[in-house]
Every structure is written in C-alpha cells, then in structure tokens.
Amino acid sequence: MSTAQMEKHLFNLKFAAKELDRSSKKCDKEERVEKEKLKKSIQKNNLEVARIHAENAIRQKNQSLNFLRMSARIDAVSSRVQSAVATKKVTQSMAGMSSFS
C-alpha cells in the first residue's frame, strides 16, 4: 500500500472518530432532554409517560457510551496507521540515503 493511500485511510479514520464523538455528544444532549421530560411527567403524576421517557433516556445514554467506545477504538487504529505511515516515510528516506554511500 502506498503512503498516499495510507494517509487517505488515516484521514478517513480520524474523520470517522470525530463523527462518532459528535454523535456521542448529540446522544448526551438528547438524554438530558429526555430526563427533563421525565421530571415534568413525574410532576404531573403521569407515570406511564414518565416510564417511556426514562427508557428513552437510558437508551440515549447507552448509545452515547457505544459511540464513545467505537470512537476510542478507531482512534487506536488511526494511531497505529499514523505510526506505520511515519515508519514507512523514514524507511524510504533511509533507503534514499543509503544509495549515496
């Protein structure tokens, strides 16, 4: 695989990690909204609706954690790819230097 292709994949991995981070934050925000709806439903003594909002809040929290986990995994992979790109560049540079000897 060429260095350019590896750099393209590295960019795509970093972009995906950022996108997952954004999705995680969006789920956190939606969780807070659901919690507010839950509190209002409890105050109105509407327990069935409160239960639904509680389930939605839990679902959003779990989804947020899943997005964060996936983002961390992709970050780890992108770090490995980045070090591979750097190693390949150094290797190519050293190969060019050895031809001068």
Side-chain angles (χ1 to χ4, degrees):
M1 183 179 290
S2 73
T3 307
Q5 286 177 322
M6 289 175 73
E7 287 176 343
K8 181 181 176 185
H9 288 303
L10 178 61
F11 173 80
N12 288 336
L13 286 169
K14 287 183 179 181
F15 184 78
K18 280 187 180 182
E19 192 173 333
L20 288 169
D21 277 335
R22 275 190 237 111
S23 296
S24 175
K25 288 177 184 174
K26 182 179 176 188
C27 285
D28 283 339
K29 184 178 178 183
E30 290 175 10
E31 177 197 3
R32 285 191 293 274
V33 169
E34 288 295 332
K35 283 184 178 180
E36 287 300 317
K37 290 179 183 178
L38 169 65
K39 289 177 186 176
K40 288 178 184 176
S41 296
I42 290 173
Q43 288 172 351
K44 292 179 182 177
N45 207 20
N46 196 347
L47 298 181
E48 191 61 35
V49 174
R51 179 172 286 127
I52 292 169
H53 289 303
E55 289 172 358
N56 289 343
I58 292 168
R59 188 177 308 108
Q60 291 297 336
K61 179 68 174 179
N62 289 335
Q63 190 67 29
S64 172
L65 290 173
N66 287 337
F67 281 137
L68 276 177
R69 264 189 219 106
M70 187 61 74
S71 175
R73 288 178 183 161
I74 290 176
D75 273 338
V77 171
S78 71
S79 293
R80 288 188 205 119
V81 171
Q82 189 169 14
S83 67
V85 167
T87 304
K88 190 168 188 172
K89 284 182 179 179
V90 168
T91 304
Q92 288 173 345
S93 170
M94 291 175 78
M97 296 295 273
S98 66
S99 65
F100 293 125
S101 301

